[in-house]
Amino acid sequence: MKRMPVLSAAPPQKHHEALAKYCATMCEIECCGLDACDFSQVHIASY
């Protein structure tokens, strides 16, 4: 049986940045800050 390669996890800082960018649904973070993000439980779980 062939072993699956193990992928390294992204550093926590990059993971948080990617999550914030994913949750920016109403506007750009650069424009409105974190007010542009939808941090509902369902939205974060879909990330």
Side-chain angles (χ1 to χ4, degrees):
M1 184 146 107
K2 212 174 194 186
R3 293 190 73 175
M4 297 283 295
V6 176
L7 300 175
S8 62
Q13 182 65 29
K14 294 201 183 238
H15 175 70
H16 290 167
E17 289 175 17
L19 176 62
K21 287 182 181 180
Y22 177 80
C23 291
T25 58
M26 297 160 218
C27 188
E28 295 293 321
I29 294 175
E30 292 82 9
C31 175
C32 297
L34 291 179
D35 292 334
C37 298
D38 175 15
F39 289 115
S40 65
Q41 294 176 355
V42 173
H43 199 84
I44 290 175
S46 69
Y47 170 73

